[in-house]
Amino acid sequence: MSTMTTAGLVILGALAAISLWGLLSSKPGDVTRQQWAGIVALASVIGIAILALVGG
């Protein structure tokens, strides 16, 4: 696995963790924050999967 792939995985992993923390710590009525955190978390997980498949 190259350094670039590893760096991408670390960045996307951190982004996924931050967005999941935002999702879990949001107030019940804060729908906009929940939606954005969910979208970012999903996109991060998809990005991690793609990098893992491409990077080997």
Side-chain angles (χ1 to χ4, degrees):
M1 192 177 300
S2 72
T3 305
M4 189 70 88
T5 305
T6 304
L9 287 172
V10 168
I11 291 169
L12 285 172
L15 190 60
I18 291 168
S19 60
L20 284 173
W21 173 78
L23 184 64
L24 294 174
S25 67
S26 64
K27 304 281 188 276
D30 198 0
V31 178
T32 304
R33 180 176 174 180
Q34 292 171 353
Q35 287 175 340
W36 277 109
I39 290 168
V40 172
L42 183 62
S44 299
V45 169
I46 291 171
I48 289 169
I50 291 171
L51 272 178
L53 288 173
V54 171

